[in-house]
Amino acid sequence: MKKWIAMILAGAMALSLAACGGSGSAADTKEEAAEETAEAAEETAEEETAETEETVDAVAQIQANGKIIMVTNAEFEPFEYKDGDTIVGIDPTIAAKIAEKLGVELEIQDIAFDSCIPALSSNKADFCAAGMSVTEDRKKNVDFTEPYFTTQQVIIVPVDSEIAARADLNGKVVGVQLGTTGDLYVTNEDGAHDIAVADVSRYPKGVDAVSDLLAGRVDAVVIDQFPAEKLVAQNPDKIKILDETLTTEKEVEEYAIAVPKGSNLVDVINEVITELKDSGELDEILASYNQ
Ligand code: ARG
């Protein structure tokens, strides 16, 4: 196939050279030659796309750039949050290990949570580490690494709330962070869950949902366990986490790092995750951010 294209290209070039020479019927020949060259180039391009669609050598590109770009939403303590101008937390710590493994610099971009997957699909970033739960729907747009953490969705209510169990959410107004699994669960678009809330208020940050809970504008907030504990710790006399979780035992969520579909970076990150798990370092990182 390749040989054939090369022959056409060579032929086309010879023809156009002849055309340039200024012989009588130049116009026609020149046009035909240009067409054939364009066709051949198109076919070559198609062939290359077909080859790269399966796996992308993102690792080579990252190493050539000397830099790896991570996107996250730094509104999710202890997984990612701001300490002054620096983005810190469990995910940035794991990300630093990934950069170290590749011998490149790490750049972290703080964006909206629901922009993280689009940033990968449009190749604006190399990976997303954002306490992101693996879902079948997300798997259609990105590839996930091995999981590094598991969580439940929990319910935060005012200390004097009449909501005492997950079933009490029925008919209530619930605050969530936009585009999160908590949002998807209470929105319950496909009716997969036995919960029917009256309304869902969606916020760019979980902390904004909690502000509205404190102000009485929503009845409850649904968010991942660890971030919920951090949020409640700021107002322990006003809000609490219900003992019963929103997600059932079978609905435990797994956090994993997302990469653009087909990126071979997934293998490098899996190695890092395995090393961190085997050495006990992952447990140390988790513990150090959750005191
Ligand atoms: N685990 C939840 C999800 O995947 C929430 C993640 C929110 N992360 C963040 N960095 N704000 O939807």
Side-chain angles (χ1 to χ4, degrees):
M1 184 71 166
K2 281 245 170 81
K3 222 179 199 176
W4 182 77
I5 290 168
M7 273 168 65
I8 292 194
L9 276 172
M13 268 162 74
L15 282 175
S16 52
L17 278 181
C20 289
S23 68
S25 62
D28 271 4
T29 331
K30 206 173 176 179
E31 243 170 60
E32 272 169 34
E35 255 171 49
E36 273 180 66
T37 316
E39 266 171 41
E42 228 172 77
E43 276 182 47
T44 318
E46 266 169 33
E47 227 179 67
E48 268 167 22
T49 336
E51 272 167 24
T52 48
E53 235 160 38
E54 279 150 26
T55 49
V56 184
D57 197 353
V59 172
Q61 276 171 26
I62 291 161
Q63 280 174 325
N65 293 341
K67 185 174 87 175
I68 191 164
I69 302 175
M70 151 175 162
V71 282
T72 193
N73 171 251
E75 302 292 345
F76 204 59
E77 190 181 351
F79 287 93
E80 42 267 329
Y81 57 104
K82 278 172 244 140
D83 181 9
D85 283 341
T86 326
I87 297 169
V88 295
I90 296 162
D91 288 327
T93 307
I94 297 173
K97 303 279 179 193
I98 297 166
E100 195 186 312
K101 177 122 194 152
L102 291 165
V104 297
E105 187 199 320
L106 170 67
E107 180 182 319
I108 304 180
Q109 296 177 359
D110 182 21
I111 61 176
F113 181 70
D114 66 337
S115 297
C116 289
I117 289 184
L120 297 180
S121 309
S122 58
N123 279 307
K124 290 202 182 83
D126 298 305
F127 69 100
C128 165
M132 184 177 276
S133 308
V134 178
T135 72
E136 288 309 314
D137 233 31
R138 289 173 179 167
K139 273 194 207 163
K140 289 178 195 154
N141 298 305
V142 291
D143 288 344
F144 281 104
T145 62
E146 293 297 317
Y148 60 92
F149 191 72
T150 57
T151 191
Q152 298 279 7
Q153 295 296 317
V154 302
I155 302 162
I156 308 177
V157 294
V159 283
D160 56 359
S161 173
E162 60 180 34
I163 301 172
R166 71 190 283 281
D168 299 335
L169 285 182
N170 289 325
K172 294 292 194 295
V173 181
V174 180
V176 295
Q177 185 183 20
L178 175 72
T180 57
T181 42
D183 179 1
L184 296 170
Y185 199 107
V186 293
T187 302
N188 201 11
E189 212 166 68
D190 49 8
H193 311 295
D194 55 348
I195 289 285
V197 303
D199 203 8
V200 182
S201 291
R202 301 179 182 83
Y203 303 84
K205 310 172 186 177
V207 67
D208 296 339
V210 169
S211 300
D212 265 11
L213 181 67
L214 292 165
R217 283 187 281 265
V218 298
D219 301 312
V221 167
V222 162
I223 194 163
D224 306 44
Q225 177 93 44
F226 270 21
E229 284 168 10
K230 294 287 178 189
L231 289 165
V232 168
Q234 289 167 21
N235 283 287
D237 48 335
K238 298 198 180 90
I239 51 177
K240 63 177 182 190
I241 299 174
L242 292 187
D243 287 340
E244 188 181 15
T245 59
L246 174 70
T247 40
T248 61
E249 234 165 83
K250 282 190 208 133
E251 294 169 327
V252 169
E253 295 179 11
E254 293 185 316
Y255 288 175
I257 293 174
V259 300
K261 270 220 163 290
S263 167
N264 61 351
L265 182 61
V266 78
D267 304 326
V268 175
I269 302 183
N270 278 336
E271 270 176 46
V272 172
I273 291 176
T274 308
E275 284 164 13
L276 291 177
K277 280 182 183 169
D278 292 352
S279 65
E281 219 179 322
L282 182 60
D283 287 337
E284 280 168 30
I285 296 170
L286 289 167
S288 74
Y289 279 98
N290 204 43
Q291 282 152 0

